[in-house]
């Protein structure tokens, strides 16, 4: 886990070493153990390592790559990056981990490559030289953002892992091309103009994030998961190298066979992610997913494994009981960090700086707190992220199943007052998107269309959902499978970014076994009913909460029931909620909001300030229990003041 950033000038203008160094320093938190820079010219087919304190490189180099290293594999200087081939014609900068890299060492040695380190970076470099960029990607199992500069081909190759665990951004302004692990690194380049991308604002306020390779910064793009990019003096080209298979086997295989398959694959994925030369621990929420990861990791580690959790004094929000049950079963020691109003208020500006985008989910501060607590003990944490998207664990899947079975009743329920409320969740959203694709796309929306229009009166259904409908339309036609694939490409990618930013703020690497691509591919072939079961199955109990829990993410809950018992596995899904209204009223946060953020919202004019003022007053009077809609606007303004208004300089100095 590290950070990389780079520059290429299409017009041949020389890269300034001081600018590249400043870009690297803006994301120094990602790699405190070592750093490096390399200048290069594709046109002249040469490169030189640029060391701090050395005289300026002789000649003109229109490109440069800089690197911050967090040492995980091979802690020696032999793992220094950017890492060059023996002849100096190819070099690599690599952020992430490849868990099967050392499977190829014998093959590569037989092909004549000589290893000088025990790092997966060197394996990747030789895999590229032996098989090319796509051949290298096809052989990797892991999480990564990779930059390879091949002077022989006069090309830069950029690649991102299959599901987007590691971030990768790029920006082009005229002849200036920038790329990096965090957008903030671009701020140091004089050609970077941090302007607001107004075209995506309606979507952002509806969903709390922007999907499909776009961002809130004008001309800043997210290299999408499973894609790679080739940059040459003639221009750029993006290609896709992986997508999730969509053909399930609904005709064969028992649930017991699916359970065995998933457990074997998940155990392998967890064991592979224990590969490290530094200490590994686990994030543990007490939920089904992280508890299974914690259990399998403990059984595979062969030594004591520590877990790290967030707890609350308020029993409405704490899952401490389940955390204790999970750790007792696994035989691990759990370290509990408390989340309270003081920590939340103090950490919010710092977390906003690290996030690069608005801190749309307030519970992201819980991940920051876990990483802060874990860092003195461990450098790597495993988490349960991705299981809900891959296995169908959200409540919205349950309502979709119910809708399929009760479709005939919905027109009647809309006309009868006694049934209107009871079946409200089944009729879909208030977006007016009545077709199946529209309901899928809007089912994960944070605000209904009327709520978005309260903030932005000119918002339309097309401005909110148009791009997402196109993304969903790339599916195979199997509605349930396409939905799960859509979740992986949208909602999950945003969740992964907050994991990356909040853990890397403390130089902690986050690994996600549920997103092993071989596991995902295997799950994609399971019978759909082993993931999402008929909501009205007569074998199920009649209470809605139990119907919901026994209809979604079936195979994982069956595994959890086997290890932890039915009560643990089938309890209502709690999520990671915070007492947000109470936090608003806490004096430090209230002062920040009332003295800086609300005035900024009124002045900026992006949203209707009268609506925000009304929401704020209602929150302060205790008239609402859900503070999330207000939070999204507050988080947006904090981001805008940092990254659009220039506040990032002070934030960087304080970080």
């Amino acid at each position: 886990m590290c950070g990389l950033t780079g520059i290429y000038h299409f017009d041949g203008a020389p890269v300034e070493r001081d600018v590249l160094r400043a870009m690297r320093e803006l994301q120094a938190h990602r790699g405190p153990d070592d750093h490096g820079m390399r200048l290069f010219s594709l046109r002249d087919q040469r490169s030189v390592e640029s060391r701090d304190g050395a005289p300026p490189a002789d000649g003109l180099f229109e490109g440069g790559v800089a690197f911050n290293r967090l040492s995980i594999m091979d802690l020696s200087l032999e793992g220094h990056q950017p890492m060059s081939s023996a002849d100096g014609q190819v070099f690599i900068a690599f952020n992430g981990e490849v868990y099967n890299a050392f499977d190829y060492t014998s093959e590569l040695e037989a092909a004549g490559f000589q290893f000088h380190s025990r790092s997966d970076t060197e394996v990747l470099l030789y895999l590229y030289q032996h098989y090319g960029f796509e051949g290298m990607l096809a052989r990797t199992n892991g999480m990564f953002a990779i930059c390879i500069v091949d002077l022989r081909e006069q090309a830069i190759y950029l690649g991102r892992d299959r599901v987007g665990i590691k971030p990768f951004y790029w920006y082009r302004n005229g002849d200036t091309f920038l790329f990096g692990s965090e957008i903030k690194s671009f701020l140091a380049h004089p050609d970077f103009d941090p302007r607001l991308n107004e075209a995506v604002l309606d979507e952002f306020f509806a969903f709390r994030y922007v999907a499909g390779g776009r961002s809130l910064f004008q001309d800043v793009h997210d290299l999408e998961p499973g894609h790679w990019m080739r940059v040459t003096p003639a221009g750029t080209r993006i290609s896709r190298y992986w997508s999730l298979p969509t053909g399930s086997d609904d005709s064969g295989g028992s649930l017991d066979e699916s359970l065995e398959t998933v457990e074997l694959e998940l155990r392998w994925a967890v064991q592979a992610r224990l590969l490290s030369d530094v200490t590994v621990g686990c994030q543990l929420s007490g939920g089904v997913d992280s508890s299974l990861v914690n259990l399998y990791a403990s059984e595979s580690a062969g030594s004591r494994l520590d877990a790290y959790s967030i707890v609350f004094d308020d029993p409405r929000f704490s899952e401490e009981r389940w955390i204790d049950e999970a750790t007792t079963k696994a035989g691990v020691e759990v370290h509990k960090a408390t989340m309270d109003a003081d920590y939340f208020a103090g950490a919010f500006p710092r977390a906003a700086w690290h996030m690069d985008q608005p801190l749309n989910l307030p519970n992201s501060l819980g991940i920051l707190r876990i990483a802060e607590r874990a860092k003195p003990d461990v450098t790597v944490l495993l988490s349960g992220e991705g299981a809900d998207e891959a296995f169908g664990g959200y409540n919205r899947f349950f309502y979709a199943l119910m809708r399929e079975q009760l479709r005939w009743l919905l027109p009647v329920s809309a006309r009868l007052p006694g049934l209107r409320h009871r079946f409200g969740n089944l009729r879909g959203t208030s977006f007016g998107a009545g077709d199946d694709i529209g309901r899928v796309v809007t089912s994960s929306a944070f605000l209904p269309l009327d709520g978005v229009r309260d903030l932005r009166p000119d918002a339309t259904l097309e401005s909110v959902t148009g791009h997402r409908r196109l993304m969903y339309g790339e599916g195979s036609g199997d509605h349930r499978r396409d939905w799960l694939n859509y979740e992986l490409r949208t909602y999950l990618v945003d969740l992964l970014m907050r994991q990356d930013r909040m853990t890397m703020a403390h130089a902690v690497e986050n690994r996600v076994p549920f997103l092993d691509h071989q596991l995902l591919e295997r799950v994609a072939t399971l019978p759909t009913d082993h993931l999402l079961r008929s909501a009205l199955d007569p074998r199920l109990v009649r209470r809605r909460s139990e119907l919901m829990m026994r209809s979604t993410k079936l195979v994982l809950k069956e595994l959890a029931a086997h290890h932890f018992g039915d009560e643990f596995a089938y309890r209502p899904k709690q999520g990671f909620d915070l007492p947000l209204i109470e936090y608003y009223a806490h004096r430090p946060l209230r002062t920040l909001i009332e003295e800086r953020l609300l005035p900024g919202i009124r002045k900026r004019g992006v949203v209707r300030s009268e609506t925000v003022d009304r929401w704020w007053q209602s929150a302060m009077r205790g008239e609402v229990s859900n503070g999330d809609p207000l939070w999204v606007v507050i988080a947006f303004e904090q981001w805008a003041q940092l990254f659009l208004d220039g506040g990032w300089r002070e934030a960087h100095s304080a970080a």
Side-chain angles (χ1 to χ4, degrees):
M1 178 74 73
C2 307
L4 62 92
T5 189
I7 308 168
Y8 185 73
H9 292 151
F10 286 99
D11 61 358
V15 165
E16 295 183 27
R17 187 175 63 172
D18 289 345
V19 170
L20 184 60
R21 181 188 298 109
M23 292 173 66
R24 184 191 71 198
E25 290 175 352
L26 280 171
Q27 55 183 37
H29 51 276
R30 297 189 68 89
D33 298 327
D34 188 21
H35 55 76
M37 296 194 302
R38 196 167 191 90
L39 304 179
F40 65 91
S41 172
L42 297 183
R43 289 176 168 83
D44 296 337
Q45 297 177 287
R46 60 195 184 100
S47 71
V48 62
E49 184 166 6
S50 180
R51 299 184 181 274
D52 291 348
D58 181 26
L60 301 182
F61 297 88
E62 77 271 15
V65 176
F67 195 77
N68 306 97
R69 186 184 181 203
L70 176 62
S71 300
I72 303 290
M73 298 299 302
D74 190 346
L75 310 186
S76 75
L77 290 178
E78 297 297 334
H80 176 78
Q81 296 188 49
M83 182 182 290
S84 178
S85 61
D87 62 6
Q89 290 296 292
V90 181
F91 65 89
I92 182 174
F94 162 56
N95 166 32
E97 305 292 342
V98 172
Y99 307 113
N100 66 336
F102 302 113
D103 294 347
Y104 295 103
T105 53
S106 297
E107 174 187 341
L108 291 169
E109 285 173 338
F113 294 97
Q114 296 182 354
F115 285 89
H116 304 283
S117 75
R118 294 178 293 103
S119 71
D120 48 356
T121 305
E122 189 171 14
V123 177
L124 288 176
L125 177 62
Y126 298 158
L127 281 175
Y128 166 76
Q129 291 182 272
H130 198 47
Y131 292 108
F133 198 72
E134 285 188 281
M136 176 202 69
L137 292 174
R139 288 166 173 79
T140 55
N141 184 317
M143 56 182 189
F144 49 82
I146 301 173
C147 167
I148 289 180
V149 177
D150 191 330
L151 300 177
R152 303 164 307 178
E153 294 190 8
Q154 297 180 294
I156 306 167
Y157 293 94
L158 309 175
R160 191 177 182 193
D161 66 68
R162 293 167 177 82
V163 291
I165 305 168
K166 293 294 97 198
F168 215 160
Y169 300 95
W170 61 276
Y171 168 83
R172 184 167 183 179
N173 180 4
D175 289 318
T176 298
F177 180 80
L178 309 177
F179 56 92
S181 298
E182 297 189 8
I183 298 171
K184 64 174 61 67
S185 68
F186 302 166
L187 294 165
H189 197 287
D191 289 346
F192 179 63
D193 183 8
R195 291 183 293 122
L196 180 63
N197 182 6
E198 296 186 5
V200 300
L201 284 174
D202 293 342
E203 179 189 348
F204 169 78
F205 286 110
F207 291 91
R208 299 190 284 198
Y209 67 98
V210 180
R214 301 161 303 151
S215 81
L216 282 170
F217 289 99
Q218 185 70 42
D219 298 322
V220 172
H221 305 272
D222 188 2
L223 183 60
E224 289 195 74
H227 286 69
W228 64 280
M229 189 175 196
R230 188 172 191 264
V231 182
T232 69
T236 63
R237 187 185 78 241
I238 296 177
S239 303
R240 188 171 186 173
Y241 71 91
W242 185 84
S243 58
L244 190 67
T246 55
S248 63
D249 181 12
D250 287 327
S251 62
S254 66
L255 178 58
D256 285 342
E257 290 172 330
S258 291
L259 289 172
E260 182 179 358
T261 295
V262 170
E263 182 156 42
L264 285 172
E265 292 283 356
L266 181 56
R267 282 185 181 276
W268 184 92
V270 170
Q271 183 175 9
R273 281 151 185 79
L274 295 174
L275 179 69
S276 174
D277 289 334
V278 295
T279 308
V280 179
C282 288
Q283 292 186 43
L284 179 62
S285 69
V288 165
D289 312 326
S290 64
S291 296
L292 284 171
V293 169
N294 188 73
L295 176 67
Y296 296 157
S298 175
E299 292 176 352
S300 297
S303 59
R304 196 193 81 166
L305 186 81
D306 288 359
Y308 299 85
S309 302
I310 290 292
V311 296
F312 298 87
D313 294 332
D314 190 333
R316 294 175 300 165
F317 301 96
S318 184
E319 294 204 76
E320 191 165 9
R321 172 196 168 183
W322 308 110
I323 290 169
D324 290 342
E325 285 197 23
T327 53
T328 298
K329 174 67 177 178
V332 303
E333 182 175 350
V334 62
H335 305 274
K336 300 172 183 176
T338 301
M339 172 71 79
D340 57 24
D342 283 331
Y343 179 83
F344 189 90
F348 171 39
R350 176 163 49 95
W353 156 250
H354 281 289
M355 192 66 180
D356 272 357
Q357 60 193 36
L359 197 72
N360 52 9
L361 295 172
N363 61 20
S364 299
L365 288 166
I367 302 173
L368 185 75
R369 183 77 178 93
I370 286 176
E372 180 181 58
R373 171 61 188 86
K375 181 58 180 176
D377 307 326
V378 305
T379 307
V380 175
L381 285 173
L382 274 60
S383 76
E385 208 77 77
D388 283 319
E389 292 78 14
F391 290 83
Y394 291 118
N395 293 346
R396 52 184 174 266
F397 297 125
F398 166 79
Y399 289 117
L401 292 173
M402 291 284 285
R403 188 184 304 115
E404 288 179 10
Q405 293 191 285
L406 297 177
R407 192 182 297 269
W408 61 273
L409 186 58
L410 298 183
V412 178
S413 72
R415 295 194 297 270
L416 299 178
L419 295 177
R420 186 178 300 122
H421 174 71
R422 181 177 297 273
F423 291 98
N425 283 323
L426 304 185
R427 286 192 296 272
T429 71
S430 59
F431 272 86
D435 61 306
D436 286 341
I437 294 178
R439 279 193 293 267
V440 166
V441 167
T442 58
S443 66
S444 61
F446 169 69
L447 281 179
L449 186 57
D450 288 345
V452 180
R453 285 174 175 159
D454 275 348
L455 290 172
R456 294 177 53 80
D458 295 332
T460 65
L461 184 63
E462 173 62 24
S463 67
V464 170
T465 67
H467 187 75
R468 290 166 178 262
R469 289 183 67 98
L470 291 175
M471 293 179 67
Y472 183 91
E474 297 174 4
S476 66
D478 179 330
H479 185 52
R480 292 187 192 180
R481 292 289 171 181
D482 288 348
W483 191 342
L484 293 176
N485 198 21
Y486 171 81
E487 294 280 348
L488 286 171
R489 295 187 60 203
T490 55
Y491 191 70
L492 176 64
V493 177
D494 182 66
L495 294 181
L496 291 170
M497 287 307 94
R498 71 169 186 153
Q499 276 281 355
D500 176 86
R501 296 300 201 286
M502 295 299 98
T503 54
M504 286 306 292
H506 291 287
V508 173
E509 174 176 285
N510 179 59
R511 296 178 176 179
V512 279
F514 280 109
L515 297 180
D516 180 278
H517 80 273
Q518 293 178 168
L519 172 60
L520 292 176
E521 290 173 352
R522 192 68 187 90
V523 171
T525 67
L526 299 179
T528 308
D529 285 346
H530 295 175
L531 306 178
L532 301 168
R533 186 160 60 178
S534 170
L536 296 184
D537 191 311
R539 295 170 292 179
L540 303 183
V541 296
R542 295 181 180 275
R543 286 184 301 172
R544 186 178 68 168
S545 61
E546 275 201 74
L547 277 172
M548 190 179 298
M549 294 308 294
R550 291 181 180 271
S551 299
T552 56
K553 204 163 59 176
L554 178 62
V555 68
L556 286 187
K557 290 173 183 175
E558 288 285 308
L559 282 179
H562 173 73
H563 291 293
F564 302 106
D566 280 6
E567 185 183 10
F568 186 99
Y570 294 112
R571 69 188 191 268
K573 188 177 180 66
Q574 183 169 333
F576 190 0
D577 295 327
L578 301 178
L580 199 52
I581 297 295
E582 297 172 21
Y583 289 176
Y584 287 154
H586 189 58
R587 177 53 57 186
L589 184 57
R590 182 169 182 170
T591 299
L592 171 66
I593 292 171
E594 291 184 339
E595 295 185 3
R596 281 187 48 195
L597 301 182
L598 290 179
I601 290 167
R602 298 183 194 111
K603 181 179 179 181
R604 196 170 305 281
V606 167
V607 297
R608 182 187 281 165
S609 60
E610 295 86 353
T611 298
V612 181
D613 289 337
R614 185 177 73 250
W615 289 356
W616 176 251
Q617 293 305 319
S618 294
M620 291 302 95
R621 290 193 296 264
E623 296 172 351
V624 294
S625 59
N626 182 8
D628 286 341
L630 181 61
W631 173 261
V632 173
V633 185
I634 288 170
F636 174 85
E637 179 59 26
Q638 176 70 25
W639 168 82
Q641 290 186 16
L642 281 173
F643 292 98
L644 303 182
D645 299 346
W648 63 270
R649 293 177 178 85
E650 181 180 349
H652 175 53
S653 299

